Structure formats: structure tokens, C-alpha cells
């Protein structure tokens, strides 16, 4: 057994470059190697591929990988080839000849993995036999289930595989957790006794944040400007808004494109490819985008609009940070979106069900406690500690006794007879005198103008909280007017206290902004160089940059700076083939960088050499001859040494009388820094080097 473990770890390192398995990966690999069926439920980015790619290397025959999207297949096959694994894909985009040659390779055992779309399985009929096939992997297995959200009818006929090859293990993989889907997968694939592996859904590296949807465009611009060019996705609800947003961002010089189901297939492929190849930084997309994206270096995901449910939200943010490095998920929360989503749901056969899911989504966005806890509890997972990596954990809200504000709001709602939306309620509170107010004679109400001292935005903030706490509600079916609830009376008449959070003051917002600016990664020149090299190699090989090395590997190379093969091989993500093919070029880049840095360091230390000679008693002329420097340079070294506090007696080179004349000039010239004005002011009587020294002395003496 120990020997076996050794082989598994060695194979993982040799082919994939990783030193360790992630949780459950090893157990899953072992189960497949024992030819047992399994169902793997892991979040996006959890590392599902290794679970069937590694066993494929250790078994006779080819592992068949059923995958729903052609784009995804090509990417995975390119990734495998970059690691030196024989892999191909088989689908309708290929010519008959190509397809024949692949079938030939299967028969002659020249392939480890073969990716195939379910529609193309029929064409493989002749090789679907136990003697050729080592394992059947069903990726995105939830597509089988009508319960799931990406149902595909072609996935429903896959049960025949197990019937045809009963001894070949089946491994089904998905990121969708719910029980009905899970059961459906087992039934339809005819693997009722499959072992289930469910790993944690927690994606710790993704920072969660929710903000109110005020001035979204401005917020998005400033967010992107702090990302150092890192790639990201903005999800929007409508096709039109993806286009508008992409246009506006492009106008700002950000490389952005819109992506939605209304575009032609060719156009969508082009955008997807450009994004994968780092040629487009931002994709503004409807949910149609992403399933085929296996890009590991998506650093951020923004939800311009509120998602319909937590499943969708979690799957979409899961596209960020698959490489395990820090990533960000920012959601904009707006009631207008909620209203629109409710309208979409109206009349659907499962309207109740959909609305309940939307409610959970709202609870998440309005949370005043750790958001990750709420998310994970939705997936049935309990997080004991607060995560520390969400906006609520980072800036816990402080509550104050807001009973008076609550009473004012609720009394206005009462006096307008529960007939007005939030905007009019605020207008009444603030004593506005617009057409609506005049028409309804609201200026005569007793509560008219009782909230003039509070800004419009702050009233909005308080109303949202009252809604969240159940003291009033929005009537979505009656023009969104605000209604009282059974709890309103308690606040109005029974002295029940209401606790509210304070909106951030302008100063607090500024502090927060400063914090985020401080968090901005510093441009590291070696990393930039390595990134450029990676990009160049990716261009030459026509593969996405992250398939050369992902960001996590590149970061480690940057930190460790290996310059020999043994050290390079130690890096996580460097396997045998990548060492052979890319190692030298990366190591040369590191060496060049280190040498340049040394050169710079030498230059920086040059004044210290002058100091040594000065201490030995050499004159300025002697030093300049000795070091082949101009006398003015030597003087500037001496000035710098003096300023740094070294014991250098500048009065050896400039008299006290000259210094006092320069002092006078300095006063007249109002502290000018250039030397020429002094030279002229002093009638060209004091030479440049002496002026420089005198200024240094004056500077130091204050
Ligand atoms: P999934 O298919 O579950 O969404 P992937 O299989 O694409 O996830 O893996 C996500 C990322 O994690 C990839 O960049 C992959 O190379 C990396 N990865 C997988 N397993 C490991 C491991 N054991 N150590 C380090 N990185 C890993
Ligand atoms: Zn948290």
C-alpha cells in the first residue's frame, strides 16, 4: 500500500507538477483504480479533473471523458498535452480522417484520455469495449438531470455505457450538490452503488462583498482600475446591459467585450477564446457565459445585477480563483433588480419555488453576519468560525437605537394610507414639494418634513433595513408601494425598539477607500517579466497562458527564483515535461533579472567607493582620476555622503564666506534647486561644484 501511495504521489508530481493531493482527490483516485464507480461532488475549481486524469495514466486502455462542451474539451486536451499526456478530443467539428486516426490510436493503445461529446458517442461504437476502455468519466454530470439547471437531453442516454461495459468503472463529476440531482445521476448512469465523495464547498480564497447598487458604473470602473489588468467577468441580467457596459468600459480604454446568447456562435467562440488567451480583460456577460470556461486565472467576478438564486451565484463566483490564489466576488444589490426578477417569475409553474430561492438570495445580500456562513449553510455545510474574508467580517456593522427613525418612517406609511413606494415616503419625510406631493396634498400631513435633517440616501438605507427586519414590506404586485406588517404596530404603539446600522460617513468611506488602495498589489518587475515570457510562449504554442503555468505556479517561481533544474522541479505546478520544455527559458529570465539587479545595486553603491578613497586622504582630483569620474560627480558623491551623515568635511572644498554668499542667493532665489540661477546670481564667481556643496551644507543646517 505504501509503495502504491508513492506511485500516486510520484505520478501526480511527474505529470501535473503538484506535490500534494487536495482533500479527497487521493481517495477518489484509489477508488477508480480499484475499478469501483464513484460520484464526485466538488465545487468549481476544487480539482475534479485530477480524479480521472491521474488514474488514466495508471490503467491499460483509454479513459473516455464525456463532456458537454467542445470549447471545454479542447482546453483540457491542450492542458494535458502541455503536461506530456497523450490525449485527444472527438467531436463533430473534426473531419472524417481526423476521427478515423483517433479511433486508430484507441485501438493501438496510443491514447490515455479521449474527450467526447455525448452526441458523438455513436461514432465510437466499435471501440466501446472493455478491452479498449479503462474508465468512463462523466464530467458536468448534473446535465443528466432534468432537476439540474443545465439539462441536456443527449446526456440522458448514457446509461447504456455501463450496460455495455459493466466492469469498466464510471466516475461522475459535478459541482451541483442538491439531492434530487444526485439521485438522478446515479439512477440514469445505472451506477446505484457508486461511492459518493462530497468535498467542502468552501472556496476560502474568494473574497465576498456586497454593495448597494448606487452608481454601479463608477464603482465598477474604480474596481477594475485597481486590478492591475487581471481578468474578470461582469454578469448582467440582460443582453442589452452587457453591450452597454462593455461599450462604456471600452471607452475608458479597458479591453472589454459583451457576451450573450444573441451573438452568433462564431462571435461567441471568438470572445471566449480572446478571454482565455488574455487578449480581453473583461467579459460583460449574461449567464450564458462561463460553463465552458476553464480559465484558472479569472481574478474577479462582479454581479451587476442580483442573481436569481444562490446556486447560480455560487457557480458564477466559483469561476474566479480556480488556481487557489486570492480572488474577489462583488455583488451589487438593488431592489429594482428584485422587482424585475419577480416579474420574470410571475406565472411560472414553479413560481413559489423560484421566489423562495430569490428570498434566500436576498437574505444573503442583506446579511449583517458572516456571508460565507450563510452561503455554506445553504449547501448544508456548517462553518464554525466567521470567515474573515467577507465584507461583513471585515467591517462588522455597528447598531444603534433607531426606534425614532423607524417610527417616523412607519407613521408616514400609515398617513399615506399604504399607497406609496419608498421614494414618495422619503419625499414626505424630507418635506419635498414636487408635483406628486402637491397633487396628493401630502404637505398637509402631520409627519410632512419630520425628517429634513437626514439625507435622501440615508433614509433609503434605513427603509431597506426596516424591510429586512420585517417592520414593513414591498408590495411587488401593487407598484411596489410600502405596506405595514403585523410588527409595525409594536414599534408605533408598544414601544418596541428597533436597531439599525449607521450608513458610512464620508470620512469612513474615504478610510475604506484608502484601505483598498493600500491592498493593491505592488507591481513586481520580475513577476511582470515572467508573465510576459509566459504570454510569449503561449502565443508560440497557441495555447492559453495559464496552461503554460497558472498564476499560482508563476507566483511561486517569482518568490523562490529557482536557477537550477532541481529547484525548478520543486515548484508546485512544474512537472517533468514542463521542466524540459519551459524550464530553461524561465530560469534564464530569472538570471537576467538578478544580474540587472546586481548591476543596479553596484551603481547605487558607487558613492561609497568615493568615500573609501576620501577617507584614505585623496583629493577630489585624485579621486576623479582614480575612478575615471568627472570632478562634478565626485563632488556630488561627497555632498550625498555628507547629507547621509558620514564624516565628510565639506569646508575643505568650499570656504565659509562662499557658503554665506550662497545663503544670500538662496534667500533671493526662493530655494531654487537648479544650480544655474545661483551661478548667474553670483556673477559666475563661484563654480558649480562649490555651489552644490554650499547648498548641501545649508540644507543640512536648515
Ligand atoms: P474543477 O474541474 O473541479 O473545476 P480543475 O480540475 O480544473 O477544477 O482544477 C482547478 C485548478 O486546481 C486547476 O488549476 C488545477 O490545476 C488545480 N489543481 C488541481 N489539483 C491540484 C493539486 N492537488 N494541487 C494543486 N493544484 C491543483
Ligand atoms: Zn465572513
Amino acid at each position: 500500500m505504501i509503495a502504491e501511495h508513492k506511485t500516486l504521489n510520484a505520478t501526480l508530481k511527474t505529470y501535473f507538477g503538484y506535490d500534494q493531493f487536495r482533500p479527497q482527490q487521493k481517495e477518489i483516485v484509489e477508488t477508480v483504480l480499484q475499478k469501483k464507480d464513484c460520484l464526485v461532488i466538488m465545487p468549481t475549481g476544487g480539482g475534479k479533473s485530477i480524479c480521472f486524469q491521474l488514474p488514466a495514466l495508471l490503467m491499460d486502455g483509454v479513459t473516455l471523458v464525456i463532456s458537454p462542451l467542445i470549447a471545454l474539451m479542447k482546453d483540457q486536451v491542450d492542458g494535458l498535452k502541455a503536461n506530456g499526456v497523450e490525449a485527444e478530443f472527438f467531436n463533430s467539428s473534426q473531419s472524417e480522417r481526423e476521427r478515423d486516426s483517433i479511433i486508430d490510436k484507441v485501438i493501438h493503445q496510443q491514447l490515455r484520455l479521449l474527450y467526447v461529446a455525448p452526441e458523438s458517442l455513436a461514432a465510437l461504437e466499435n471501440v466501446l469495449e472493455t478491452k479498449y476502455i479503462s474508465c468512463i468519466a462523466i464530467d458536468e454530470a448534473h446535465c443528466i438531470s432534468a432537476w439540474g439547471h443545465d439539462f441536456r437531453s443527449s446526456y440522458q442516454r448514457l446509461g447504456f455505457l455501463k450496460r455495455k461495459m459493466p466492469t469498466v468503472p464510471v466516475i461522475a463529476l459535478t459541482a451541483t450538490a442538491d439531492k434530487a440531482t444526485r439521485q438522478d445521476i446515479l439512477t440514469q448512469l445505472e451506477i446505484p452503488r457508486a461511492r459518493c465523495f462530497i468535498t467542502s464547498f468552501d472556496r476560502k480564497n474568494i473574497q465576498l462583498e456586497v454593495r448597494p447598487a448606487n452608481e454601479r458604473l463608477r464603482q465598477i470602473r474604480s474596481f477594475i482600475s485597481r486590478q492591475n489588468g487581471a481578468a474578470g467577468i461582469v454578469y448582467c441580467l440582460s443582453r442589452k446591459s452587457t453591450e452597454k457596459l462593455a461599450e462604456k468600459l471600452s471607452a475608458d480604454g479597458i479591453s472589454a467585450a459583451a457576451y450573450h446568447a444573441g451573438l452568433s456562435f462564431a462571435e461567441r467562440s471568438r470572445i471566449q477564446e480572446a478571454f482565455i488567451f488574455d487578449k480581453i480583460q473583461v467579459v460583460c456577460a449574461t449567464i450564458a457565459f462561463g460553463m465552458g470556461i476553464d480559465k484558472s486565472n479569472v481574478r474577479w467576478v462582479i454581479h451587476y445585477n442580483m442573481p436569481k438564486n444562490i446556486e447560480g451565484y455560487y457557480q458564477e463566483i466559483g469561476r474566479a480563483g480556480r488556481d487557489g490564489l486570492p480572488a474577489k466576488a462583488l455583488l451589487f444589490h438593488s431592489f429594482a433588480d428584485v422587482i424585475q426578477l419577480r416579474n420574470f417569475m410571475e406565472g411560472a409553474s414553479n413560481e413559489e419555488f423560484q421566489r423562495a430561492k430569490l428570498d434566500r438570495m436576498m437574505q444573503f445580500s442583506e446579511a449583517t453576519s458572516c456571508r460565507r456562513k450563510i452561503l455554506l449553510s445553504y449547501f448544508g455545510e456548517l462553518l464554525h468560525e466567521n470567515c474573515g474574508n467577507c465584507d461583513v467580517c471585515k467591517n462588522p456593522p455597528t447598531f444603534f437605537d433607531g426606534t425614532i427613525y423607524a417610527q417616523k418612517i412607519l407613521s408616514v406609511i400609515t398617513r399615506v394610507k399604504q399607497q406609496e413606494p419608498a421614494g414618495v415616503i422619503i419625499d414626505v419625510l424630507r418635506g419635498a414639494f414636487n408635483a406628486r406631493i402637491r397633487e396628493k396634498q401630502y404637505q398637509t400631513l402631520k409627519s410632512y418634513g419630520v425628517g429634513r435633517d437626514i439625507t435622501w440616501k440615508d433614509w433609503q438605507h434605513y427603509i431597506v433595513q426596516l424591510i429586512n427586519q420585517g417592520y414593513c414590506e414591498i408590495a411587488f404586485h401593487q407598484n411596489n408601494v410600502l405596506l405595514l406588517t403585523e410588527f409595525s404596530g409594536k414599534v408605533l404603539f408598544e414601544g418596541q425598539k428597533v436597531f439599525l446600522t449607521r450608513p458610512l460617513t464620508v470620512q469612513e468611506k474615504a478610510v475604506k477607500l484608502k484601505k483598498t488602495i493600500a491592498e493593491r498589489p505592488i507591481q513586481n518587475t520580475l513577476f511582470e517579466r515572467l508573465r510576459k515570457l509566459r504570454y510569449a510562449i503561449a502565443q508560440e504554442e497557441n495555447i492559453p497562458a495559464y496552461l503554460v503555468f497558472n498564476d499560482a505556479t508563476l507566483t511561486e517561481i517569482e518568490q523562490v527564483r529557482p536557477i537550477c533544474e532541481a529547484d525548478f522541479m520543486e515548484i508546485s505546478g512544474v512537472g517533468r515535461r514542463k521542466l524540459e520544455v519551459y524550464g530553461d527559458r524561465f530560469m534564464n529570465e530569472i538570471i537576467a533579472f538578478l544580474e540587472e539587479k546586481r548591476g543596479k545595486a553596484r551603481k547605487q553603491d558607487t558613492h561609497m567607493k568615493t568615500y573609501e578613497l576620501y577617507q584614505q586622504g585623496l583629493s577630489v582630483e585624485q579621486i576623479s582620476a582614480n575612478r575615471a569620474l568627472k570632478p562634478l560627480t565626485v563632488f556630488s558623491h561627497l555632498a550625498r555622503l555628507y547629507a547621509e551623515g558620514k564624516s565628510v568635511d565639506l569646508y575643505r572644498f568650499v570656504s565659509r564666506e562662499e557658503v554665506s554668499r550662497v545663503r544670500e542667493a538662496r534667500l533671493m532665489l526662493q530655494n531654487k534647486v537648479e544650480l544655474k540661477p545661483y551661478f548667474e546670481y553670483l556673477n559666475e564667481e563661484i563654480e558649480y561644484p562649490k555651489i552644490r556643496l554650499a547648498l548641501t551644507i545649508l540644507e543640512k543646517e536648515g
Side-chain angles (χ1 to χ4, degrees):
M1 203 63 188
I2 289 171
E4 252 178 51
H5 278 235
K6 245 188 173 165
T7 339
L8 292 187
N9 281 333
T11 314
L12 181 71
K13 178 65 195 167
T14 309
Y15 284 95
F16 303 98
Y18 302 128
D19 301 311
Q20 280 172 339
F21 284 98
R22 288 203 182 144
Q24 307 250 38
Q25 278 179 334
K26 194 169 198 169
E27 291 77 2
I28 297 165
V29 168
E30 283 167 348
T31 309
V32 174
L33 289 174
Q34 289 159 13
K35 301 214 171 279
K36 289 184 190 146
D37 303 325
C38 38
L39 170 62
V40 174
I41 296 168
M42 255 188 209
T44 312
K48 288 187 279 296
S49 318
I50 294 284
C51 301
F52 56 84
Q53 289 175 348
L54 185 64
L57 296 167
L58 300 171
M59 294 188 287
D60 291 331
V62 60
T63 288
L64 205 60
V65 187
I66 319 283
S67 173
L69 277 167
I70 293 177
L72 193 76
M73 284 181 205
K74 186 176 176 317
D75 204 36
Q76 291 232 357
V77 168
D78 284 344
L80 285 164
K81 285 184 173 167
N83 278 324
V85 179
E86 298 103 342
E88 293 292 350
F89 59 83
F90 187 88
N91 62 41
S92 53
S93 72
Q94 292 161 312
S95 70
E96 190 123 347
R97 264 184 61 198
E98 278 175 283
R99 287 161 65 120
D100 283 348
S101 108
I102 290 167
I103 292 177
D104 219 49
K105 280 190 188 170
V106 175
I107 293 171
H108 293 98
Q109 311 256 340
Q110 287 163 343
L111 276 185
R112 302 273 91 204
L113 292 118
L114 178 61
Y115 283 72
V116 55
E119 295 82 1
S120 301
L121 273 174
L124 282 176
E125 180 80 41
N126 293 336
V127 290
L128 295 182
E129 281 187 43
T130 313
K131 65 175 171 187
Y132 299 126
I133 308 295
S134 59
C135 172
I136 300 159
I138 318 253
D139 209 1
E140 313 284 356
H142 59 277
C143 293
I144 273 183
S145 172
W147 299 109
H149 40 85
D150 305 307
F151 174 63
R152 280 168 188 251
S153 55
S154 59
Y155 254 68
Q156 279 198 310
R157 290 182 289 271
L158 295 178
F160 85 94
L161 289 167
K162 190 73 195 174
R163 251 172 285 141
K164 200 156 189 260
M165 298 171 277
T167 55
V168 174
V170 170
I171 169 171
L173 309 103
T174 175
T176 300
D178 79 84
K179 276 196 185 138
T181 309
R182 229 183 280 168
Q183 196 49 51
D184 231 14
I185 293 172
L186 298 180
T187 313
Q188 296 209 38
L189 289 178
E190 304 188 20
I191 48 167
R193 268 178 294 281
R195 254 188 87 180
C196 291
F197 294 89
I198 303 173
T199 65
S200 166
F201 263 65
D202 195 1
R203 296 281 309 281
K204 294 186 181 65
N205 61 319
I206 302 179
Q207 180 188 315
L208 306 170
E209 184 178 0
V210 181
R211 295 187 201 166
N214 301 326
E215 298 182 89
R216 270 177 276 202
L217 182 64
R218 191 188 54 74
Q219 294 200 56
I220 290 174
R221 275 191 185 125
S222 102
F223 179 94
I224 295 177
S225 74
R226 290 198 300 275
Q227 302 307 313
N228 269 337
I233 307 172
V234 186
Y235 285 107
C236 305
L237 208 52
S238 72
R239 295 176 183 183
K240 218 172 168 180
S241 46
T242 63
E243 284 173 357
K244 269 201 210 147
L245 184 62
E247 220 170 82
K248 284 181 185 150
L249 293 177
S250 301
D252 287 347
I254 296 167
S255 76
Y259 183 105
H260 55 72
L263 300 173
S264 71
F265 178 75
E267 183 63 3
R268 273 183 288 156
S269 313
R270 188 189 66 76
I271 293 164
Q272 180 158 321
E273 179 131 327
F275 185 60
I276 289 174
F277 280 73
D278 292 339
K279 286 175 187 152
I280 291 178
Q281 186 197 353
V282 181
V283 171
C284 307
T286 54
I287 43 167
F289 183 75
M291 194 176 162
I293 295 288
D294 213 2
K295 185 175 165 69
S296 71
N297 63 341
V298 175
R299 291 266 71 83
W300 52 269
V301 166
I302 292 179
H303 281 87
Y304 189 91
N305 301 103
M306 184 95 141
K308 288 204 289 278
N309 52 45
I310 289 186
E311 282 95 340
Y313 169 71
Y314 205 57
Q315 194 171 48
E316 281 150 23
I317 67 167
R319 288 173 187 137
R322 285 173 150 225
D323 50 20
L325 294 183
K328 291 194 164 114
L330 170 61
L331 163 71
F332 287 107
H333 170 32
S334 100
F335 273 107
D337 288 351
V338 174
I339 292 164
Q340 199 180 354
L341 286 170
R342 291 209 191 209
N343 289 340
F344 286 157
M345 291 168 186
E346 214 171 282
S349 57
N350 58 352
E351 187 182 343
E352 283 295 297
F353 178 69
Q354 291 193 38
R355 281 181 60 160
K357 291 204 160 195
L358 178 60
D359 286 345
R360 297 290 299 269
M361 189 63 222
M362 280 181 45
Q363 282 160 16
F364 167 79
S365 2
E366 290 155 2
T368 47
S369 61
C370 177
R371 291 194 204 277
R372 200 173 310 266
K373 269 192 174 167
I374 297 175
L375 268 188
L376 291 176
S377 80
Y378 184 84
F379 293 110
E381 228 179 296
L382 186 68
L383 197 66
H384 293 282
E385 305 270 321
N386 287 341
C387 78
N389 197 22
C390 73
D391 53 343
V392 182
C393 282
K394 288 189 172 161
N395 283 302
T398 45
F399 289 90
F400 69 97
D401 182 348
T403 312
I404 291 184
Y405 295 156
Q407 285 169 343
K408 285 181 177 173
I409 293 166
L410 297 177
S411 96
V412 172
I413 297 176
T414 315
R415 288 180 200 275
V416 300
K417 307 202 167 58
Q418 308 188 58
Q419 294 290 317
E420 299 292 351
V424 178
I425 305 289
I426 298 175
D427 280 344
V428 174
L429 281 163
R430 293 193 26 88
F433 197 59
N434 52 33
R436 175 76 161 245
I437 301 275
R438 284 197 298 267
E439 180 197 323
K440 300 271 183 109
Q441 295 282 303
Y442 287 152
Q443 74 273 23
T444 61
L445 294 179
K446 204 173 156 217
S447 352
Y448 179 76
V450 293
R452 279 202 174 93
D453 51 330
I454 288 172
T455 66
W456 217 91
K457 260 193 184 161
D458 288 0
W459 275 123
Q460 197 183 22
H461 176 88
Y462 296 137
I463 290 179
V464 169
Q465 290 184 66
L466 287 191
I467 297 170
N468 294 343
Q469 296 184 28
Y471 292 114
C472 58
E473 62 186 13
I474 300 184
F476 290 105
H477 295 286
Q478 301 166 40
N479 303 320
N480 311 310
V481 304
L482 290 186
L483 302 178
L484 299 174
T485 68
E486 52 182 308
F487 304 110
S488 315
K490 294 205 160 123
V491 178
L492 283 171
F493 313 114
E494 293 173 32
Q496 165 137 351
K497 290 207 156 160
V498 177
F499 290 91
L500 301 172
T501 66
R502 224 163 27 86
L504 290 184
T505 63
V506 177
Q507 287 95 324
E508 284 167 327
K509 274 186 195 149
V511 169
K512 222 175 137 190
L513 185 69
K514 258 195 197 148
K515 254 197 205 162
T516 38
I517 291 173
E519 278 167 16
R520 196 158 143 176
I522 10 164
Q523 291 278 357
N524 182 312
T525 51
L526 177 56
F527 190 79
E528 281 314 305
R529 289 171 73 150
L530 296 175
R531 191 151 83 160
K532 279 201 185 115
L533 174 60
R534 176 177 72 172
Y535 187 75
I537 293 175
Q539 295 277 301
E540 288 162 23
E541 300 199 358
N542 197 25
I543 54 173
Y546 62 85
L547 287 186
V548 176
F549 286 128
N550 68 23
D551 281 4
T553 303
L554 208 65
T555 307
E556 198 178 323
I557 294 176
E558 192 261 328
Q559 283 160 357
V560 176
R561 301 183 175 183
I563 49 172
C564 69
E565 290 201 350
D567 289 348
F568 202 82
M569 187 70 183
E570 285 293 303
I571 305 283
S572 172
V574 178
R576 197 188 54 206
R577 179 180 178 273
K578 288 190 178 171
L579 173 72
E580 282 164 10
V581 185
Y582 309 132
D584 276 347
R585 290 178 71 177
F586 279 89
M587 288 190 279
N588 285 338
E589 193 66 43
I590 294 168
I591 292 168
F593 171 80
L594 292 175
E595 276 177 354
E596 277 169 37
K597 217 174 113 184
R598 238 172 263 146
K600 261 191 214 137
R602 269 201 295 276
K603 234 183 181 168
Q604 271 169 8
D605 289 346
T606 173
H607 71 299
M608 291 308 289
K609 290 240 169 65
T610 300
Y611 189 43
E612 268 173 39
L613 299 177
Y614 169 85
Q615 282 177 317
Q616 288 165 22
L618 270 64
S619 71
V620 170
E621 290 71 31
Q622 285 167 322
I623 296 173
S624 77
N626 182 303
R627 299 209 54 204
L629 296 172
K630 284 193 200 121
L632 190 60
T633 310
V634 176
F635 277 117
S636 78
H637 286 173
L638 292 172
R640 180 169 165 197
L641 290 161
Y642 176 82
E644 283 174 4
K646 303 276 180 333
S647 74
V648 174
D649 181 11
L650 294 187
Y651 286 111
R652 258 173 64 187
F653 312 106
V654 57
S655 71
R656 287 183 193 273
E657 197 224 314
E658 284 163 335
V659 173
S660 81
R661 285 187 65 193
V662 173
R663 178 184 290 121
E664 187 188 310
R666 189 162 169 253
L667 228 69
M668 297 307 295
L669 295 170
Q670 298 176 340
N671 294 329
K672 267 205 173 12
V673 270
E674 311 91 279
L675 299 183
K676 198 168 175 215
Y678 290 90
F679 187 61
E680 285 166 0
Y681 182 87
L682 297 165
N683 305 324
E684 307 185 1
E685 286 162 12
I686 302 179
E687 297 143 57
Y688 279 99
K690 288 188 171 181
I691 297 172
R692 144 123 352 278
L693 296 185
L695 284 172
T696 309
I697 291 170
L698 292 170
E699 190 70 18
K700 186 124 193 243
E701 288 173 355

